Amino acid sequence: MKSNTMILHTAALLIMPLQLMFSVFLLFRGHDEPGGGFIGGLVAAGAFVLYAFAFGAEAARRILRVGPRDLLGAGLLLGLASTLPALFSGQPMLTAHWWELPLPGGDYLKLSTPLIFDIGVYFAVLGTIMTFVIGLMESEE
Amino acid sequence: MLLAVLSGFLLALFAPLLHRVAGKYIGWLLSLLPASLAVYFSTFLSQVQDGPLLLEYQWLPGLGISLNFLVDGLSLTFALLISGIGTFILIYAGSYLAGHKYLARFFVIMLSFMASMLGLVLSDNLITLFVFWELTSITSYMLIGFNHEDLEARKCALQGLFVTVAGGLALMAGLIMLAIMTDSYSLSAILASSDPIHQHVFYTGAVLCLLAGAFTKSAQVPFHFWLPNAMAAPTPVSAFLHSATMVKAGIYLMARLNPALGEGELWTMMLMGFGAVTMLTGAWFAFSSTGIKKVLAYSTVMALGTLTMLIGVGTELAMTAFICFLVAHSLYKGALFMLAGALDHETGTKDITRMGGLRKSMPVTATIAVFAALSLAGLPPLFGFIAKELMLEALLDAPLWSSLLLVATVTSAILIVGVAGLVAIKPFFGAPGNTPKAPHEAPFGMLVGPAVLTIIALAFGLMPFIPENALFKAAVASVHGTPVDFHLALWHGINMPLILSGVSLVVGLLLFRAWPSIQPRLNAVNFAGSRVGPEAGYFKVMEWITVVASWQTRMLQNGVLGIYMLVLVAITFGLAGYTMFDQYGVHFTLNLADSHFYEWGIALLLVASAVFASSTHSRLGSVASMGVLGFAVALTFILFSAPDLGITQLLVETLTVILLVLVLFKLPEFVNLSTPFQRYRDLAVSVFAGVTMTLMMLAVLDIQYFESISSYYVENSAPLAYGRNIVNVILVDFRALDTLGEIFVLSLAALGVLSMLKLKAEDQHKP
């Protein structure tokens, strides 16, 4: 399925980057404000689905660069990777670890295993929906 | 220790990358890991002399699952065998599979297998042990079926998987029963407890289940057939899986649990009985086969039977013989398999009848093979001799069935001498054979492993006090449960075992001389027997499973989605509703005084869209009104200040509509196929579900059996988890394990949908 309306094409090209940026924004603010990996992943999926509707499944595959199933795998691996620090320090599985890296200007960059985990959720959600949508669109062709 | 066990998995991740860098030296490079692991494990040698060592790592303490490692003589013996032989296997594989398309993939699976095996023998927790056990089944499946374009290899791999995984299921039940009996999931606690568990009511069940697991894995009769079939694997795999690892996992389990379960008669008799029968079966088939790998595979079956039998006998002498034979077998079988691969590689055939006189073109291979075969036949001065003498001695004073076991053992010893002749004399001496390739010496990488293993076997034979003091004393103590005093020596003077050995040597050599003339006849007997043998039973069971599965599918999965929904909803709400009615009854208080007018508006919208969705004749209308329903629910979430839920609901609704649009146009014209009865039935079930759910919600609001956990989350979200968004903190921190499970389910669902789409596409393309 591929749409030939110019409005959709233009809108997709304009909206998609904004949507993706917004999804990352949601992902990172998630720990303190409404948002998080699940919601961010859904928004990012929305962006790619819009693109797929405008330009077709093949184009969506190209702009994703990696296959949707690889995204799934990456998400699950990140989720598992976030369990490693606790494992190697002898704590119960999924005990959170936090690292604060000083940034120039007196600020701190806060990294943590929940964040890695959340990024994993983001990719898993994105991968799942893209697998559905691209699979369905390709089965039509 | 944790890193040591898991390092195989970690290195496996990088194996493809290293393959690109190291090229044809990849085998040598990767073998550094098992080599350093072997060194690391040997630092424990002095510590295990004083008793078992428990290294504790937490994993999921909430579920009683730990990553504790139990290091004692037995687990250390296995760990050293796995890492030591693993080192040479990796070197060997790099040379044997040089230039293979999927070499990197091979190393990924091989390293994962090795790590799983190490985890299995070192785990202290029963659940962790089971996880590693299953990992070895899965990775060995991939290894056996490594040449996955070959139909035969796939079939054999699947057979191995079915047999071992079916046993694994029984094993899990057995382990759980064991834990219930002893009230602990920790092996060290189970072994240390002095409760007489063989009087427990679960004892028989537990032993049968545990042995089902161990017997399938360790290829005891009647499950032995998968092992020779697994020779479809590339030779490095056979050499590793069938010398020191995979098939020894069952042996390990039996030896490990022997001190706890060995007092029961059932355990002793089953082990001795099945072990002896397996030993004879293996020796018989080994002598009557012609493929060199099959011969070795069946002789492995014989060795596994012997080991099982020795555990069953259970005396101090038998346990000493067990450890010695275990090590001796791993050494010579690893070497012989690798040499068999070299023969196959350089001559182009596996058929012994076509080989002969190869000692001129392959002198080094021939020398090593002769020494390894001496150990197989149990001749001095190799370590195999010491093991065999001990074994005969142990059987001479076995408390039960002594003469019976002795006859069986001497018979199989005779046959094994013949087998040793088949692998060491037949290919290398006599008239030159007719091989497909002009034979020449195998490369260095393929010979270093067998050479070192054989030299170790020779050294252990000449100086048995070295392994005895370093490891075997501790190992025998951990199998027997109490320290055992013994002394290994090559020469015991002229005694009964030596005479029996002499007899078996002479008769065995005579049999070997007669082999070319009697082998075809033996083969004919085997062929006739195969129609009623266990393997025929396996195929019957597989057919039967298919029949039951298709019957069940016809019954339960008739393809009408409506029926699935109906059954699911009716059962779920029927059970839940019954429980509620039974426990609580139907009473509620409904206070509508403080509700606002807009809440009524949303409620009205919800009801209206639900009614419209279920009564309309237009699909598009139905989809749209379901959308309205979803957005109204999202609105409710936002009204009651749950922004995260609201956003998620909105996004999911949007994407659902998109997915529906994708499939909507593919659906056929709307037609009314259901009868009025079916419609009223569906209506009744839906109303029932709705009413039950409503009553349940009201009941939940009305009563509170225990204090809500939400206050804990509200209070601790910021101080403990450094996050102010409680929903997110719950998802990624407090209850992250649930989320982890959920994303796995999500991914499986995605793969399920994908495979359904692909299957459908393939169906359509069929002519």
Side-chain angles (χ1 to χ4, degrees):
Chain A
M1 180 166 41
K2 196 170 165 180
S3 154
N4 284 322
T5 70
M6 203 174 141
I7 301 174
L8 187 59
H9 282 197
T10 320
L13 285 179
L14 278 177
I15 293 173
M16 191 184 151
L18 287 176
Q19 234 177 326
L20 284 178
M21 277 195 289
F22 184 59
S23 80
V24 176
F25 167 71
L26 280 174
L27 165 68
F28 285 119
R29 83 200 280 258
H31 216 56
D32 288 331
E33 309 286 336
F38 197 86
I39 294 174
L42 287 174
V43 171
F48 285 110
V49 170
L50 179 66
Y51 190 86
F53 269 50
F55 300 101
E58 193 49 42
R61 253 185 204 286
R62 266 200 307 279
I63 203 162
L64 266 177
R65 282 167 191 274
V66 288
R69 273 174 293 166
D70 296 341
L71 276 177
L72 266 182
L76 297 183
L77 272 182
L78 279 174
L80 287 179
S82 75
T83 67
L84 291 181
L87 185 70
F88 284 112
S89 51
Q91 288 161 320
M93 186 169 163
L94 286 162
T95 306
H97 281 237
W98 290 78
W99 303 278
E100 290 198 348
L101 305 177
L103 289 181
D107 281 334
Y108 285 93
L109 177 64
K110 281 204 279 185
L111 293 177
S112 63
T113 53
L115 182 65
I116 300 175
F117 186 81
D118 224 8
I119 298 174
V121 174
Y122 178 95
F123 280 122
V125 170
L126 177 60
T128 304
I129 293 172
M130 291 324 287
T131 311
F132 283 164
V133 172
I134 292 186
L136 273 171
M137 290 178 85
E138 282 176 349
S139 77
E140 259 166 48
E141 284 154 10
Chain B
M1 179 53 84
L2 183 66
L3 191 64
V5 172
L6 299 183
S7 58
F9 293 119
L10 293 181
L11 187 63
L13 280 179
F14 298 101
L17 202 69
L18 289 172
H19 180 231
R20 243 172 261 169
V21 181
K24 64 178 182 172
Y25 298 107
I26 177 76
W28 290 94
L29 183 70
L30 291 178
S31 72
L32 289 177
L33 175 77
S36 43
L37 284 178
V39 172
Y40 170 73
F41 288 131
S42 44
T43 58
F44 285 94
L45 278 175
S46 57
Q47 294 179 53
V48 296
Q49 307 290 342
D50 314 326
L53 209 67
L54 190 65
L55 304 163
E56 295 179 47
Y57 298 90
Q58 288 185 328
W59 192 15
L60 292 171
L63 298 174
I65 301 172
S66 69
L67 270 175
N68 292 357
F69 295 111
L70 175 64
V71 186
D72 66 354
L74 181 69
S75 54
L76 200 58
T77 309
F78 271 94
L80 282 171
L81 283 175
I82 294 163
S83 50
I85 296 185
T87 308
F88 298 112
I89 295 289
L90 291 182
I91 297 173
Y92 178 83
S95 176
Y96 183 86
L97 291 171
H100 194 287
K101 211 168 17 159
Y102 298 124
L103 187 60
R105 183 185 299 177
F106 175 85
F107 282 117
V108 171
I109 314 174
M110 199 66 167
L111 286 167
S112 317
F113 172 78
M114 198 186 71
S116 326
M117 205 58 217
L118 282 175
L120 165 60
V121 298
L122 289 164
S123 286
D124 177 63
N125 186 282
L126 292 181
I127 302 289
T128 319
L129 182 144
F130 178 73
V131 169
F132 283 118
W133 179 284
E134 292 293 80
L135 276 174
T136 61
S137 292
I138 293 166
T139 42
S140 66
Y141 163 66
M142 291 192 272
L143 284 172
I144 296 169
F146 181 66
N147 292 323
H148 60 90
E149 280 153 10
D150 178 6
L151 179 68
E152 198 56 30
R154 288 207 305 271
K155 247 165 105 184
C156 295
L158 205 58
Q159 191 182 48
L161 184 74
F162 274 132
V163 174
T164 52
V165 166
L169 219 54
L171 175 76
M172 183 164 78
L175 290 175
I176 291 171
M177 279 192 264
L178 184 67
I180 294 174
M181 285 196 293
T182 55
D183 209 20
S184 168
Y185 273 101
S186 156
L187 272 173
S188 48
I190 292 171
L191 296 174
S193 108
S194 53
D195 296 345
I197 54 174
H198 63 281
Q199 285 160 6
H200 198 280
V201 61
F202 280 172
Y203 179 78
T204 312
V207 166
L208 289 179
C209 286
L210 289 169
L211 288 185
F215 282 2
T216 46
K217 194 87 162 179
S218 286
Q220 302 291 308
V221 170
F223 308 112
H224 63 284
F225 54 86
W226 73 263
L227 198 155
N229 287 344
M231 292 300 125
T235 306
V237 175
S238 317
F240 196 41
L241 265 62
H242 304 127
S243 64
T245 55
M246 171 80 174
V247 294
K248 294 263 174 75
I251 302 288
Y252 165 77
L253 190 75
M254 290 188 271
R256 171 55 80 211
L257 294 174
N258 183 52
L261 300 170
E263 281 168 52
E265 254 180 20
L266 178 73
W267 173 268
T268 334
M269 293 186 26
M270 286 211 33
L271 256 57
M272 286 201 292
F274 279 92
V277 172
T278 307
M279 176 177 71
L280 275 177
T281 315
W284 166 268
F285 281 105
F287 187 68
S288 52
S289 302
T290 55
I292 188 156
K293 282 181 78 180
K294 287 255 162 161
V295 170
L296 290 174
Y298 278 118
S299 79
T300 303
V301 173
M302 168 255 150
L304 295 170
T306 313
L307 289 167
T308 308
M309 179 183 74
L310 284 172
I311 301 175
V313 172
T315 56
E316 294 187 355
L317 252 162
M319 287 311 169
T320 317
F322 167 78
I323 292 292
C324 291
F325 189 65
L326 175 81
V327 173
H329 173 256
S330 301
L331 291 174
Y332 71 67
K333 194 50 66 68
L336 284 174
F337 263 121
M338 288 195 252
L339 292 172
L343 276 175
D344 174 22
H345 204 262
E346 305 308 331
T347 64
T349 178
K350 291 189 176 88
D351 191 346
I352 298 180
T353 53
R354 298 181 68 177
M355 300 176 194
L358 290 170
R359 94 196 115 101
K360 292 201 187 81
S361 45
M362 307 176 77
V364 186
T365 313
T367 317
I368 306 171
V370 166
F371 275 99
L374 281 180
S375 197
L376 167 68
L379 291 179
L382 276 294
F383 192 58
F385 173 72
I386 297 182
K388 198 173 81 170
E389 295 299 286
L390 269 173
M391 182 165 90
L392 291 170
E393 208 178 325
L395 294 176
L396 276 170
D397 68 20
L400 199 64
W401 303 348
S402 169
S403 41
L404 212 60
L405 294 181
L406 206 59
V407 171
T409 308
V410 173
T411 316
S412 79
I414 291 172
L415 289 167
I416 287 303
V417 171
V419 168
L422 287 184
V423 295
I425 303 178
K426 179 74 183 67
F428 298 107
F429 298 88
N434 167 29
T435 54
K437 265 163 68 175
H440 54 85
E441 190 59 88
F444 177 66
M446 285 167 73
L447 292 175
V448 57
V452 173
L453 294 181
T454 312
I455 290 169
I456 294 175
L458 186 62
F460 280 12
L462 293 173
M463 294 170 284
F465 53 88
I466 297 179
E468 176 192 322
N469 291 329
L471 185 58
F472 289 2
K473 281 234 157 78
V476 174
S478 49
V479 192
H480 192 256
T482 49
V484 175
D485 195 39
F486 63 90
H487 183 67
L488 299 181
L490 200 56
W491 180 249
H492 278 279
I494 296 180
N495 53 11
M496 198 58 192
L498 190 71
I499 297 169
L500 288 173
S501 282
V503 171
S504 53
L505 179 66
V506 173
V507 183
L509 283 178
L510 288 175
L511 269 181
F512 169 66
R513 294 274 308 228
W515 187 77
S517 54
I518 58 173
Q519 193 278 329
R521 257 172 283 165
L522 298 181
N523 206 23
V525 173
N526 290 348
F527 183 73
S530 69
R531 280 189 213 161
V532 289
E535 192 170 8
Y538 166 82
F539 287 119
K540 274 272 174 325
V541 170
M542 295 317 285
E543 266 170 42
W544 180 74
I545 288 177
T546 323
V547 170
V548 172
S550 54
W551 169 79
Q552 190 190 5
T553 311
R554 274 199 309 279
M555 290 297 293
L556 299 175
Q557 306 231 319
N558 48 11
V560 186
L561 276 174
I563 302 283
Y564 296 0
M565 290 287 283
L566 195 73
V567 172
L568 278 178
V569 169
I571 292 181
T572 313
F573 284 95
L575 290 177
Y578 171 78
T579 314
M580 186 190 69
F581 191 73
D582 190 50
Q583 304 276 321
Y584 176 72
V586 180
H587 49 85
F588 53 86
T589 47
L590 195 56
N591 183 9
L592 299 174
D594 59 349
S595 49
H596 294 280
F597 70 94
Y598 50 82
E599 291 170 11
W600 283 101
I602 293 172
L604 203 67
L605 195 61
L606 278 170
V607 175
S609 55
V611 170
F612 184 77
S614 46
S615 59
T616 179
H617 279 221
S618 141
R619 278 216 185 89
L620 192 62
S622 163
V623 169
S625 58
M626 286 302 284
V628 172
L629 186 71
F631 284 111
V633 172
L635 214 54
T636 324
F637 285 145
I638 292 168
L639 264 186
F640 289 94
S641 58
D644 283 86
L645 293 185
I647 300 173
T648 313
Q649 176 77 22
L650 280 177
L651 289 166
V652 169
E653 279 308 324
T654 316
L655 288 167
T656 313
V657 170
I658 290 173
L659 286 175
L660 281 172
V661 167
L662 277 176
V663 287
L664 203 58
F665 295 108
K666 305 185 75 180
L667 297 175
E669 195 85 346
F670 186 90
V671 230
N672 210 339
L673 293 172
S674 46
T675 60
F677 164 72
Q678 286 168 332
R679 283 202 292 281
Y680 282 112
R681 179 196 61 193
D682 295 353
L683 181 69
V685 171
S686 329
V687 169
F688 167 69
V691 169
T692 316
M693 193 63 214
T694 313
L695 287 175
M696 253 191 282
M697 287 311 296
L698 288 169
V700 166
L701 288 178
D702 209 34
I703 43 160
Q704 204 158 31
Y705 286 117
F706 35 80
E707 206 184 328
S708 161
I709 195 173
S710 32
S711 59
Y712 171 83
Y713 288 144
V714 173
E715 279 162 26
N716 291 305
S717 165
L720 285 185
Y722 311 114
R724 290 191 303 276
N725 179 2
I726 300 164
V727 177
N728 186 263
V729 168
I730 292 175
L731 281 177
V732 300
D733 198 336
F734 285 139
R735 303 207 59 87
L737 185 62
D738 295 359
T739 313
L740 191 64
E742 278 154 21
I743 58 176
F744 270 91
V745 171
L746 206 60
S747 314
L748 280 179
L751 294 181
V753 168
L754 190 71
S755 50
M756 279 201 291
L757 289 171
K758 291 261 183 234
L759 275 180
K760 193 153 172 285
E762 272 172 25
D763 280 351
Q764 279 168 350
H765 289 145
K766 267 186 200 154

